[in-house]
Amino acid sequence: MEFVCHPLIKEKTIERRSYQIAIAATALMHNTLVILPTGLGKTVIALLVIASRLHNKDGKALILAPTKPLVEQHAEFFRKTLNIPPTQIVALSGEIPPEKRESLWRRARVIVSTPQVIENDLITGRISLEDVIHITFDEAHRAVGNYSYVFIAKTYFKQAKDPLVLAITASPGSDIERIKEVIENLGIEEIEIRTEYDPDVRPYVHEKKIEWIKVEMPKELEEVRDAFNKCLEVRFKKLESLGIKVSKNTSKKELLALQEYLQAEASETKEPKLFEALSILAEILKIHHAVELIETQGLSALKHYLKRLVIEAKSKGGSKASKSIIIDATFKKAVLKALKCKVDNPKLNKLKEIVQDQLKRKPDSRIIVFTNFRDTADTIAKELQNIGIKATRFVGQANRGDDKGMKQKEQIEILEKFKQGLINVLVATSVGEEGLDIPETDLVVFYEAVPSEIRAIQRRGRTGRGREGRVVVLITKGTRDEAYYW
């Protein structure tokens, strides 16, 4: 194996790959957006560019990443590979007091941080980007709207004496307007794209088998879904009577877009029937979510949700929509049907079967199960533990009602145990999708198909990094799972 030789890169730490060298060469001359599949070393490209800039110019390098575990991971990677004192490589987060952040910033040559912290410190004038000679925007597809990346890039081009930007992502998305926005917001001049099929990348790609496994929805569960769909039909008819025709097959995304449109109209015209329509639409969205849980998750997740809905309706500040729903006779009937139902979504048993089979064939396997909902992550982790599998849930830091999030320290500890094989299965929500270095994952299971191409690419990229990998997507026939699949 041939290694990269550079005064600021520790010997024998980075394998020399021609595509990384070629992309880094472009990125040293222009503000560059790099689109490269997960697991093919986007961070190594950032390292090559940063080492070169620090070697040839006076100043600091800033690496931005959207989550704290990702910040920690990057900081650790740069300490292991960069030939500069570890004390000059700092990781910043909101947990560090502002005064301390200021002194850490002053003495550091390489700073890794979440963007919100940098944005706050720029606004308060604690730091300046004047002597920052390079910024890396990790997960660059986020640089849209009012996300902190946008403000930082704008400030950087105003303040820096010699700015250079590297934006990296596994997928910028499929929306051309969104991609254009990212390019504009980050001042991108060149785009470097590689796929797994490019000849210079191919030698480093491991096979990734994708299997779509379909399960039948039991008749009893279909009846529960039909009962909730009746609640929706009543409300769609009410909307129609107000002059707003909505198909019962309208997606959640379209319903949210309609809500936004009606809110804008209502605030401008003050038309009473628009406010009534908004109220009905809020109810539709809540019931729509219940139907989604039945189809893609199962009874356990549905019951958790219904419990929260009742608590919200009975609380002082509860929404009008939740209060209206829980006193509705048709809704009460649907809830009763759900509580009496003894048959669950067969996905859970199929998942247990898949995981057991994988561990039987290869006992030291690392497996990640992705699900959209924390309740489901909890249920899956417990069910797998019950059959003797070393599984744990892996969720974000935010608290959701009575569900406590995971502290950064906890997340890092779990990842470490997973790497060491003390945990076989991570049951992760979206926090596990972006950039986290989870090496040599043999199997990734999507508990439900995801409608977002960015998220699907991120999730698939968790496997086939260090060795051959397998991806399984579970689909309940005749539900929105299938719609997302198509």
Side-chain angles (χ1 to χ4, degrees):
M1 190 190 286
E2 204 183 333
F3 292 96
V4 169
C5 286
H6 187 281
L8 284 190
I9 295 176
K10 288 177 184 174
E11 275 183 36
K12 295 188 176 177
T13 55
I14 299 296
E15 181 188 358
R16 187 183 170 84
R17 295 184 179 183
S18 57
Y19 69 91
Q20 290 173 336
I21 305 287
I23 294 170
T26 303
L28 274 164
M29 291 185 286
H30 307 279
N31 296 328
T32 304
L33 170 63
V34 174
I35 301 164
L36 186 68
T38 303
L40 286 171
K42 291 182 289 292
T43 322
V44 169
I45 293 165
L47 169 75
L48 297 172
V49 178
I50 289 164
S52 184
R53 290 290 278 183
L54 291 175
H55 184 59
N56 294 307
K57 295 176 183 292
D58 286 332
K60 303 177 187 298
L62 173 61
I63 299 106
L64 297 167
T67 65
K68 289 178 190 171
L70 206 41
V71 164
E72 284 298 324
Q73 184 183 291
H74 285 332
E76 194 184 324
F77 170 76
F78 284 105
R79 285 185 195 117
K80 277 181 185 166
T81 53
L82 270 178
N83 215 356
I84 64 175
T87 52
Q88 292 182 5
I89 301 169
V90 301
L92 298 183
S93 75
E95 288 161 11
I96 300 169
E99 304 71 37
K100 194 176 178 201
R101 286 204 304 265
E102 199 176 335
S103 70
L104 284 170
W105 175 276
R106 273 202 305 272
R107 71 152 201 254
R109 285 183 78 191
V110 175
I111 300 113
V112 194
S113 178
T114 51
Q116 295 80 3
V117 167
I118 298 298
E119 182 177 27
N120 290 341
D121 287 352
L122 283 169
I123 289 167
T124 54
R126 270 189 288 272
I127 63 168
S128 157
L129 301 176
E130 190 183 352
D131 61 345
V132 173
I133 50 172
H134 192 263
I135 295 188
T136 303
F137 292 92
D138 191 11
E139 308 295 353
H141 52 269
R142 287 176 171 243
V144 290
N146 58 0
Y147 191 67
S148 302
Y149 278 2
V150 182
F151 173 81
I152 294 167
K154 208 178 194 174
T155 310
Y156 184 48
F157 290 120
K158 270 188 206 156
Q159 291 184 353
K161 289 183 285 210
D162 187 5
L164 186 65
V165 161
L166 172 65
I168 53 181
T169 180
S171 169
S174 63
D175 180 342
I176 294 296
E177 288 311 309
R178 186 188 169 109
I179 297 167
K180 280 182 182 168
E181 195 183 338
V182 169
I183 288 167
E184 198 175 310
N185 287 341
L186 298 181
I188 298 301
E189 300 158 334
E190 289 287 337
I191 300 174
E192 284 277 0
I193 303 175
R194 295 290 188 284
T195 72
E196 296 174 343
Y197 307 104
D198 284 315
D200 54 350
V201 175
R202 195 85 201 109
Y204 305 99
V205 176
H206 295 266
E207 280 307 308
K208 207 179 287 180
K209 296 173 189 155
I210 299 180
E211 301 160 40
W212 304 85
I213 295 179
K214 295 189 177 186
V215 296
E216 297 278 354
M217 185 186 259
K219 198 171 183 313
E220 294 93 321
L221 212 52
E222 277 183 8
E223 286 169 5
V224 173
R225 177 185 63 181
D226 294 345
F228 282 97
N229 275 333
K230 272 185 189 146
C231 304
L232 283 176
E233 277 166 33
V234 172
R235 283 157 180 82
F236 282 132
K237 278 180 183 156
K238 279 187 191 171
L239 275 186
E240 206 173 325
S241 71
L242 293 168
I244 298 159
K245 192 163 169 53
V246 183
S247 155
K248 64 175 185 178
N249 297 320
T250 304
S251 71
K252 190 177 185 175
K253 194 177 178 180
E254 289 163 334
L255 288 171
L256 289 167
L258 174 63
Q259 187 182 45
E260 209 174 295
Y261 168 75
L262 290 177
Q263 277 167 343
E265 283 284 292
S267 63
E268 203 172 293
T269 62
K270 305 286 184 275
E271 184 79 44
K273 74 171 189 178
L274 288 177
F275 287 104
E276 194 184 336
L278 275 167
S279 190
I280 296 162
L281 195 53
E283 291 176 34
I284 286 171
L285 280 161
K286 285 185 183 294
I287 300 166
H288 192 276
H289 184 64
V291 174
E292 183 181 355
L293 292 175
I294 296 162
E295 291 190 342
T296 68
Q297 309 299 303
L299 281 176
S300 179
L302 174 70
K303 286 171 185 172
H304 277 295
Y305 174 64
L306 293 175
K307 188 179 163 189
R308 281 200 297 269
L309 200 59
V310 171
I311 292 167
E312 186 197 327
K314 289 182 175 174
S315 69
K316 216 175 183 179
S319 70
K320 186 184 166 193
S322 58
K323 289 179 195 298
S324 171
I325 288 167
I326 70 154
I327 56 166
D328 175 57
T330 322
F331 186 77
K332 282 179 179 174
K333 271 187 198 167
V335 171
L336 204 60
K337 212 169 190 61
L339 295 174
K340 282 181 180 172
C341 184
K342 294 284 176 269
V343 180
D344 210 343
N345 195 308
K347 275 184 181 181
L348 194 54
N349 285 332
K350 180 53 78 177
L351 172 71
K352 289 196 274 192
E353 202 182 291
I354 292 163
V355 171
Q356 279 179 309
D357 176 59
Q358 175 73 29
L359 291 170
K360 202 189 231 172
R361 286 188 291 112
K362 192 168 181 295
D364 66 339
S365 288
R366 305 282 190 284
I367 300 164
I368 301 181
V369 179
F370 278 113
T371 176
N372 289 341
F373 302 101
R374 281 190 184 184
D375 287 343
T376 308
D378 257 355
T379 303
I380 293 170
K382 282 172 189 159
E383 286 285 334
L384 290 174
Q385 286 161 8
N386 288 344
I387 55 170
I389 289 166
K390 293 177 285 187
T392 191
R393 73 173 199 153
F394 187 72
V395 300
Q397 293 174 61
N399 294 331
R400 305 266 163 86
D402 58 352
D403 179 16
K404 295 277 175 274
M406 272 186 167
K407 290 191 170 65
Q408 183 190 352
K409 194 179 168 204
E410 249 183 298
Q411 290 176 336
I412 292 162
E413 278 169 10
I414 284 173
L415 285 183
E416 201 45 52
K417 283 179 181 173
F418 186 68
K419 286 176 189 176
Q420 290 168 12
L422 300 171
I423 293 167
N424 284 113
V425 185
L426 276 190
V427 186
T429 52
S430 57
V431 73
E433 289 168 13
E434 286 193 325
L436 283 177
D437 181 24
I438 305 168
E440 303 188 338
T441 304
D442 306 274
L443 168 65
V444 168
V445 183
F446 288 54
Y447 196 71
E448 59 279 299
V450 280
S452 153
E453 62 289 324
I454 291 176
R455 293 179 65 194
I457 287 168
Q458 300 281 18
R459 288 182 175 193
R460 284 204 308 269
R462 298 292 115 221
T463 187
R465 300 180 84 161
R467 53 197 186 207
E468 188 179 312
R470 177 183 169 215
V471 177
V472 171
V473 187
L474 292 174
I475 293 173
T476 313
K477 284 185 192 175
T479 69
R480 62 204 68 208
D481 268 350
E482 275 197 325
Y484 291 161
Y485 162 66
W486 290 114

